Amino acid sequence: MPPTPLETELRLDHVANSVSLSHGDKLLVEAIPVAEDLEGPGFVPFNDAARAEAGFAGLRKHPFAECFACGLREPGDGLRIFPGPVEDTDLVAAGWRVPHTVSGEDGVPASIVGAVLDCITGWAHFSPGESALLGRLAVQINGSILPGGRYSVVARPTGRDGRKLYGQSAIYEMDGTLVAAARATWIAPR
C-alpha cells in the first residue's frame, strides 16, 4: 500500500461504525471500533526510558527519517520519539516530553496517541535500516495525555509469522499508570 499522500484531496467516508480514507478509488485506511482490553508490555520508568533512546536504531540508519512520530526532524517539528533497547529485557522505550504544539483543549488528540503507539511497535523489531509497513493497529486510550507532561513509551515484539511482525506498545505516566495501549501487525517488504 502506498503512503498516504500529503497536500492532496482525500475522501473520508462514514458507513455504519466504520470510517475509511481514500485517494480516488484507492482505499488508504479503514478504521472500525474493537471491543477489547489491551495490556501494556511493561512499565519502564521515565529516566530509564529516556536513557534507552541512545540505542535508537534509527539514529544509525532510518528508513523513514521524515516520519512525524519517530523521524529525525528538527526539534519542534514532529514528536521525535526515539525508542531504544532497555537493558536486560526484550523492550524498547523512549521518554516522551509532550510538546504543546500537538495538544488540543482536552490534551493530546487520539490521532497523535495512535502515531506514538504505532511507530514504537515497529522499532521493537527493527535493526538499523530495516523497515516494515503498518498493517493493523488496535488502540485503547485510558486517560488524557497532557502537553508538557513526561511519559514512558514502551514496546515489545510479540511474535513473527513469515513477513508479519507483531508487537504491543503503551504510554505510561511517571507513576506507572497505563494511559494508552496498542497491538500492531506490521508487514515486512519482500
Side-chain angles (χ1 to χ4, degrees), residues 107-120:
V108 176
S111 58
I112 301 296
V113 173
V116 170
L117 294 169
D118 164 1
C119 285
I120 193 168

Side-chain angles (χ1 to χ4, degrees), residues 65-87:
E66 290 300 314
C67 177
F68 175 74
C70 66
L72 305 175
R73 296 166 168 233
E74 293 296 317
D77 181 19
L79 301 177
R80 297 178 52 84
I81 296 172
F82 304 145
V86 177
E87 191 172 323

Side-chain angles (χ1 to χ4, degrees), residues 87-127:
E87 191 172 323
D88 299 325
T89 73
D90 65 345
L91 302 172
V92 295
W96 185 27
R97 300 143 197 92
V98 182
H100 290 273
T101 57
V102 298
S103 69
E105 290 179 18
D106 299 323
V108 176
S111 58
I112 301 296
V113 173
V116 170
L117 294 169
D118 164 1
C119 285
I120 193 168
T121 58
W123 287 108
H125 287 277
F126 304 155
S127 296

Side-chain angles (χ1 to χ4, degrees), residues 120-189:
I120 193 168
T121 58
W123 287 108
H125 287 277
F126 304 155
S127 296
E130 289 185 320
S131 69
L133 297 174
L134 183 68
R136 184 172 287 170
L137 183 70
V139 174
Q140 179 178 343
I141 301 173
N142 302 325
S144 296
I145 296 173
L146 303 175
R150 297 187 320 164
Y151 298 84
S152 294
V153 182
V154 183
R156 84 163 8 111
T158 57
R160 186 177 193 129
D161 182 16
R163 294 175 37 231
K164 291 182 182 177
L165 312 171
Y166 303 101
Q168 68 180 156
S169 59
I171 300 171
Y172 295 95
E173 290 182 3
M174 296 283 285
D175 67 359
T177 301
L178 179 65
V179 180
R183 187 185 66 247
T185 303
W186 289 75
I187 310 296

